[in-house]
Amino acid sequence: MSAGNATNWIDEIAAKASVRREEVARILAAHGVEEDSTLPRKRTLTLKRVLFRGTKHSEKEPFEFLWDGLGHGIWGLLTDGNSKGKSSLLRLVRGAFRGEFPGSGLKPDVWGWLSEFEIVFLIDERAHRIRLTKHAGETSPTAAVATLSRLDTATEVVIKQGIADDAFGKAVDSLFMDELGFSRVRAYRAKQGEAAEHGWPAMCAALFIAGPGDTLFGDTAQDAVHLRLIQLFIGLPWITTYTCASTSLKAVSARLAKETSGKSDRVTTRIKELEGEIKALEVKLEGEPDLTSLRATLPELDKALIEKRREAEAATALVGERQTQHKDAKDARTEARRRLLQAKDDAEARLVFKRLKPTCCPSCAREFEVGRFRASAAATCGLCGQEEVAPGSADELIAELEAEADDTLTAQKAAEKAASEAIETSAAASATVTAIGKQIEEIQTKLAKGSAADDLHLSIAKLKARIEELELASGPSIDLEPIRREEAVLKAAEKVTKSLFEDLQTEILTQVSAALMKFSNAFGVQNLQGMALNGAGQLKIEQGGQPTSFSKLNPGENLRVRIAAALAVLEVAKRRGHGRHPGLIILDSPAAQEMSHQDFAAMVESVVAAANEFPDVQIIVGAVNRQELLSSVPSERRRHAEGENPLF
Amino acid sequence: MSEDMKPQEAAASTTGAVFRDAFRLLCILLEGSAPVAEGSSADGFDRVFHGQKRAQALVFYVCYPDYLADRLLDLHDAGQPGVLQQVEMIFAEEEPSVRLVKMIRWQRGAYFDLDNSLAILSFYELIRPVERTLANLGSQHDYLIGLKASSFVQEAVEKQPGLAWYLERARLAMEVSGLKSGHALKAEQYKFEEYVGTKLSVVIPSIADQVRKRFEKTNAKGQL
């Protein structure tokens, strides 16, 4: 896979992590993992001028060392004897480049002498200056004033000025990182549980080679910085993306591990159980009577009971009344019928009796005289002398009685209806009274029984407190799912990104290894059969038929391989055309480690060849003078303290 | 009848229903009569009804259908067939209230002034009241009755079917009374608590409700 497929970078991660594309983009952005398939333009760093002024402890006259007009190519800082100021100068240069004063390894007396030091350098074509001033004889670093400035054609723009402390170092760091277009190397230190970041000082260290070192490249192997530097200098794409993803992944994984280990399954289960208990209690609570509101309903019910009872009593009274009325109506009806029947029967009986014609007096039983009743016009009773009642005279009475019977029937029916209505009303009222009474009775039973609500509330509160305690002891209960997704995305990002440069890296490292082998051989590292730099930054060496490693080389070999590595990187970078090495290499005392004339000559030749081969490379060699150097470095490119003279 | 034996105010309907009352009494006398001894009939009166007290007792059964019904239920209980239907009819027709003719309680039980009825019946020569000396030297009112009365009643029932009820009821009253003496009948009637518990001069109350219940109970038992 190559960098050309980068357009699908996020899609590939989304597919691999099984997370939606939008979320992938969000997670990557949150961690600063950016798609970085192209390399920024290569920038070059060139030392232009070195100025060192001061007053030596034993002297009154100040001294001045000025090396101006420096540029690309090979430059030599030579002394005929040792301790003539070449290492002090180079260390001051190194310190200034790192923004550190007095810088590591500078002899205290030299720091004391110093009253003014500056370097002017170009980043591409733009001139910058780092300058330090203090009173000669002053040794406290806080007494020094450091200035970082950009030198435009006519003016000086001060970027940072102040005591030479960390803040100044940061300003220098920012300047170089920004101007050279470098990304910081990020790493996650699992043991300490923290993220580390390496900026300009770590990169700058790779530019200075002063004797043997622990690492092939630069001054630290921590957080695989040396490998990152190699990747950076030879121009591997995706490295920043990969580093960033990998760092974030480690941090997220660590966090996830902490979250999950902090809260054991047992605790989670226990919390779930307690929550279940709470739920059960809450269900119970719903079924419990609310005594206060129950008690509040009682007066209302009592009032209703009294009212309904009154209504029921009135209804019962009405029933009695209506029933009496009904009975009266019935009686009236019966009486009417009885009287009607009696009248009818009597009328009929009269009719039959009147058909009889008695012939004697009912009183004396003698026969009536003939014509006793004939004289009268109307029929008159022979006995009492009253007029006989005409037949049918009872009809009127009967008709009246019949009408009365009808009326009483109507009245009876009405009374019956009214009575049954009253009964219904009364029954309903009684039922209402009974219902209310029952309701009151139920409430009173409940009140007497009491409620478990208070106990339940207390139990729920206790359970909640226990959950809180458990959560407190085991860390907050957070949803791990988003973190898991984050981890998956970063893991996928790391893998996908790595796959994008892995093949290329292997190929480049093979080339670097070959160049390293070539230079090492030339510099007199003996019996080398093979050198292989792997993707983990380890250099495997086969020497005298035995496998060995960089750390097992003797100091002389170590230094030679380090210089070889610097040149190898430069060479491969040049060949590939992608290298991002700033092009400045400063070698201090490369011959110190028991180097034979022959080997030194080979090394100088290689260095000079490299300087010639790469037009924008500047190599400054500080060394005790040797013939090989004098013949290889033109005199105008040399500062040479001859004989017993110091450089300053 | 001596004055002291009469209540101060007659409870019976003395006006307005004299002919009905007379006809009722006639039916009772006719149904309750027995043939006179051989050779003692005179003027066509060949039957005799013994005792005014007995007449009063029978009148009570006709005027109070509920008491009659109760006695009929006694007969039913004693095993006489066909009686229950009679009782059923009595209640179905609401006779205890509609046919009720109120009587008052007097010294010798239920009392109804029979004098007007007897006068009418005598005037029309349907009966002849006679007084007879008893073996214990006391006297008893008997009523002679004969063919004329039976023909008259027969004709009346044909001409006025509404009057048939009185004849039927007299027969029923006789059915529960048999040939018992007036004294025996009164003794029977004194067994009714309501009857014997009624104060003098007060109308004898109805016992329709309890008799109806007795009937319903008996009827239900019979249908089981």
Side-chain angles (χ1 to χ4, degrees):
Chain A
M1 193 169 290
S2 75
N5 290 343
T7 43
N8 291 324
W9 181 65
I10 285 191
D11 290 328
E12 235 177 281
I13 294 169
K16 209 175 192 85
S18 302
V19 174
R20 283 181 306 107
R21 194 183 195 281
E22 295 75 34
E23 196 174 358
V24 168
R26 186 184 61 71
I27 290 171
L28 292 177
H31 286 279
V33 180
E34 287 165 359
E35 187 173 340
D36 182 21
S37 59
T38 55
L39 290 166
R41 188 170 57 83
K42 174 192 164 178
R43 311 276 170 88
T44 56
L45 175 63
T46 314
L47 184 62
K48 199 81 183 132
R49 159 191 162 98
V50 179
L51 172 68
F52 181 25
R53 287 192 180 120
T55 308
K56 290 180 183 172
H57 180 63
S58 51
E59 292 174 17
K60 278 185 183 145
E61 285 303 305
F63 64 84
E64 181 189 90
F65 173 84
L66 175 65
W67 197 11
D68 207 353
L70 293 161
H72 294 148
I74 185 88
W75 297 85
L77 186 61
L78 308 177
T79 58
D80 284 346
N82 279 317
S83 304
K84 296 302 175 193
K86 109 183 105 42
S87 285
S88 291
L89 258 176
L90 292 178
R91 276 170 187 161
L92 271 170
V93 170
R94 181 180 126 114
F97 268 124
R98 291 166 69 115
E100 297 168 358
F101 292 105
S104 69
L106 183 66
K107 288 197 261 173
D109 57 342
V110 178
W111 172 249
W113 300 342
L114 187 150
S115 64
E116 196 180 344
F117 182 80
E118 71 170 46
I119 53 171
V120 174
F121 53 92
L122 298 172
I123 297 176
D124 279 2
E125 297 308 316
R126 184 159 298 199
H128 293 80
R129 178 169 67 194
I130 292 173
R131 178 179 165 80
L132 186 86
T133 54
K134 75 173 181 61
H135 292 295
E138 187 67 66
T139 52
S140 167
T142 54
V145 174
T147 308
L148 169 65
S149 48
R150 179 176 297 133
L151 304 176
D152 286 337
T153 26
T155 56
E156 174 184 354
V157 179
V158 175
I159 297 167
K160 176 85 183 175
Q161 185 165 47
I163 54 171
D165 57 2
D166 283 355
F168 185 77
K170 276 216 170 68
V172 172
D173 173 86
S174 293
L175 175 83
F176 281 107
M177 294 304 282
D178 291 348
E179 293 293 325
L180 295 175
F182 285 170
S183 306
R184 293 172 199 284
V185 174
R186 291 198 200 135
Y188 184 82
R189 294 176 185 161
K191 263 187 200 164
Q192 291 92 328
E194 59 186 23
E197 205 176 67
H198 299 274
W200 172 244
M203 295 173 182
C204 185
L207 308 182
F208 289 83
I209 302 170
D214 294 339
T215 60
L216 184 63
F217 220 67
D219 61 357
T220 178
Q222 203 180 17
D223 304 327
V225 165
H226 65 295
L227 179 64
R228 297 278 173 266
L229 289 175
I230 293 170
Q231 290 167 338
L232 181 70
F233 288 161
I234 61 179
L236 259 185
W238 291 107
I239 287 307
T240 308
T241 307
Y242 173 75
T243 313
C244 196
S246 149
T247 305
S248 301
L249 171 63
K250 279 176 192 153
V252 169
S253 296
R255 181 165 164 229
L256 197 59
K258 196 177 160 199
E259 291 295 348
T260 42
S261 73
K263 188 179 297 182
S264 70
D265 282 354
R266 201 174 49 76
V267 171
T268 314
T269 309
R270 183 67 191 132
I271 288 176
K272 280 226 174 79
E273 276 172 18
L274 292 174
E275 281 168 348
E277 281 176 40
I278 287 178
K279 206 156 269 173
L281 288 179
E282 279 170 347
V283 168
K284 246 191 209 168
L285 191 60
E286 275 171 31
E288 278 302 317
D290 183 347
L291 292 188
T292 316
S293 71
L294 271 182
R295 217 169 270 129
T297 57
L298 272 183
E300 202 66 31
L301 284 173
D302 281 340
K303 212 172 121 193
L305 182 65
I306 289 168
E307 206 170 289
K308 291 291 168 190
R309 204 173 263 160
R310 202 174 287 141
E311 280 176 25
E313 278 163 9
T316 309
L318 187 66
V319 168
E321 208 174 290
R322 292 270 172 85
Q323 276 177 337
T324 307
Q325 283 169 356
H326 181 217
K327 188 180 175 301
D328 288 352
K330 241 162 61 180
D331 289 351
R333 158 81 177 154
T334 307
E335 181 63 16
R337 282 175 69 197
R338 200 182 61 75
R339 283 170 63 197
L340 174 62
L341 196 62
Q342 177 180 291
K344 274 181 170 172
D345 287 355
D346 191 61
E348 287 169 4
R350 172 190 289 268
L351 277 180
V352 296
F353 278 113
K354 283 299 168 185
R355 288 164 52 84
L356 296 173
K357 298 291 177 203
T359 53
C360 67
C361 170
S363 184
C364 61
R366 282 174 295 191
E367 274 190 35
F368 292 128
E369 280 175 45
V370 178
R372 167 79 176 86
F373 303 109
R374 281 181 197 150
S376 59
T380 305
C381 175
L383 196 59
C384 63
Q386 290 183 65
E387 239 178 66
E388 281 280 7
V389 182
S393 63
D395 290 357
E396 204 179 317
L397 171 69
I398 289 171
E400 250 174 56
L401 289 172
E402 271 174 347
E404 194 186 328
D406 287 348
D407 288 350
T408 53
L409 179 60
T410 310
Q412 184 199 330
K413 279 181 179 163
E416 186 177 12
K417 198 179 165 207
S420 69
E421 276 171 5
I423 287 170
E424 268 174 39
T425 309
S426 169
S430 300
T432 309
V433 169
T434 310
I436 294 175
K438 206 174 162 196
Q439 218 176 325
I440 290 174
E441 206 172 292
E442 277 170 7
I443 289 174
Q444 278 168 343
T445 309
K446 276 182 189 167
L447 286 177
K449 215 167 90 186
S451 168
D454 287 349
D455 289 345
L456 287 174
H457 278 303
L458 187 64
S459 301
I460 289 172
K462 276 183 188 165
L463 288 172
K464 279 184 177 166
R466 282 172 68 188
I467 289 177
E468 217 167 278
E469 248 171 60
L470 282 172
E471 280 181 341
L472 212 63
S474 61
S477 174
I478 57 158
D479 189 1
L480 293 178
E481 208 37 54
I483 305 180
R484 292 219 167 90
R485 275 205 299 283
E486 230 174 306
E487 187 187 37
V489 167
L490 291 170
K491 205 176 265 177
E494 188 193 50
K495 263 206 176 132
V496 168
T497 309
K498 191 174 186 184
S499 73
L500 289 172
F501 68 75
E502 208 163 33
D503 293 349
L504 183 61
Q505 175 176 266
T506 308
E507 185 190 322
I508 290 171
L509 287 177
T510 308
Q511 290 173 10
V512 171
S513 300
L516 183 60
M517 175 90 170
K518 179 188 83 183
F519 285 121
S520 297
N521 268 327
F523 298 167
V525 181
Q526 301 298 311
N527 298 318
L528 278 179
Q529 279 86 43
M531 293 182 103
L533 190 59
N534 68 15
Q538 295 160 331
L539 177 62
K540 305 282 185 195
I541 301 168
E542 199 185 339
Q543 191 177 31
Q546 294 297 315
T548 181
S549 66
F550 175 74
S551 60
K552 287 176 185 157
L553 295 174
N554 67 45
E557 290 170 333
N558 176 302
L559 176 61
R560 278 171 248 196
V561 170
R562 273 163 62 79
I563 294 168
L567 296 180
V569 167
L570 271 180
E571 185 183 283
V572 173
K574 164 74 184 165
R575 199 184 306 151
R576 282 177 32 77
H578 288 303
R580 306 198 53 220
H581 196 291
L584 175 65
I585 293 177
I586 294 173
L587 305 174
D588 187 13
S589 309
Q593 302 296 333
E594 301 169 352
M595 199 179 277
S596 68
H597 286 283
Q598 201 180 345
D599 293 342
F600 187 71
M603 189 178 75
V604 169
E605 198 182 310
S606 294
V607 169
V608 171
N612 291 336
E613 194 182 346
F614 316 131
D616 48 0
V617 164
Q618 179 182 35
I619 300 176
I620 298 169
V621 182
V624 172
N625 187 27
R626 288 205 187 191
Q627 192 52 48
E628 294 83 357
L629 278 170
L630 292 178
S631 57
S632 301
V633 181
S635 60
E636 69 273 15
R637 288 178 171 262
R638 297 196 301 250
R639 284 301 296 267
H640 188 184
E642 292 180 52
E644 289 302 308
N645 291 327
L647 282 167
F648 47 84
Chain B
M1 182 175 281
S2 56
E3 280 299 311
D4 65 317
M5 280 181 68
K6 277 195 176 184
Q8 296 296 312
E9 293 167 43
S13 53
T14 52
T15 57
V18 282
F19 290 105
R20 192 270 316 256
D21 294 345
F23 187 76
R24 177 174 59 219
L25 182 61
L26 183 63
C27 290
I28 288 166
L29 295 181
L30 190 62
E31 289 298 316
S33 65
V36 295
E38 194 73 29
S40 60
S41 73
D43 300 331
F45 293 107
D46 56 351
R47 295 175 74 84
V48 63
F49 182 93
H50 294 291
Q52 193 191 27
K53 204 190 218 175
R54 181 160 166 259
Q56 285 282 12
L58 287 167
V59 167
F60 175 73
Y61 280 135
V62 176
C63 288
Y64 279 79
D66 42 356
Y67 286 84
L68 178 71
D70 198 60
R71 292 288 294 115
L72 284 170
L73 287 174
D74 288 345
L75 291 186
H76 171 80
D77 289 350
Q80 186 168 324
V83 180
L84 221 47
Q85 286 89 320
Q86 300 283 356
V87 179
E88 190 175 7
M89 283 255 286
I90 288 170
F91 285 112
E93 297 292 325
E94 292 181 61
E95 287 184 8
S97 43
V98 175
R99 289 284 182 183
L100 170 71
V101 179
K102 290 171 187 168
M103 293 173 78
I104 57 164
R105 164 91 156 91
W106 196 239
Q107 287 163 345
R108 293 180 189 165
Y111 173 81
F112 196 94
D113 190 345
L114 300 179
D115 290 2
N116 285 338
S117 296
L118 290 171
I120 287 172
L121 294 179
S122 301
F123 170 62
Y124 286 112
E125 297 164 337
L126 295 171
I127 62 160
R128 179 174 295 168
V130 290
E131 195 162 4
R132 179 166 64 100
T133 306
L134 296 175
N136 59 6
L137 299 177
S139 69
Q140 180 183 278
H141 292 278
D142 287 347
Y143 306 99
L144 297 175
I145 196 165
L147 200 59
K148 188 179 177 185
S150 62
S151 308
F152 171 77
V153 168
Q154 203 57 50
E155 205 175 324
V157 168
E158 276 165 25
K159 291 254 188 299
Q160 304 292 342
L163 296 176
W165 181 84
Y166 294 95
L167 185 59
E168 289 301 319
R169 187 48 44 98
R171 283 177 185 157
L172 262 187
M174 275 306 294
E175 215 171 311
V176 303
S177 305
L179 292 174
K180 286 173 190 161
S181 70
H183 182 77
L185 288 178
K186 286 283 176 184
E188 226 170 57
Q189 290 170 359
Y190 278 137
K191 286 177 188 163
F192 292 111
E193 271 176 39
E194 290 78 5
Y195 183 109
V196 78
T198 304
K199 288 180 179 164
L200 291 187
S201 282
V202 172
V203 172
I204 293 169
S206 163
I207 56 166
D209 289 345
Q210 67 231 50
V211 178
R212 182 196 295 273
K213 276 177 200 153
R214 181 181 171 193
F215 159 69
E216 282 166 358
K217 215 166 143 186
T218 309
N219 200 27
K221 217 185 277 173
Q223 286 178 353
L224 274 180

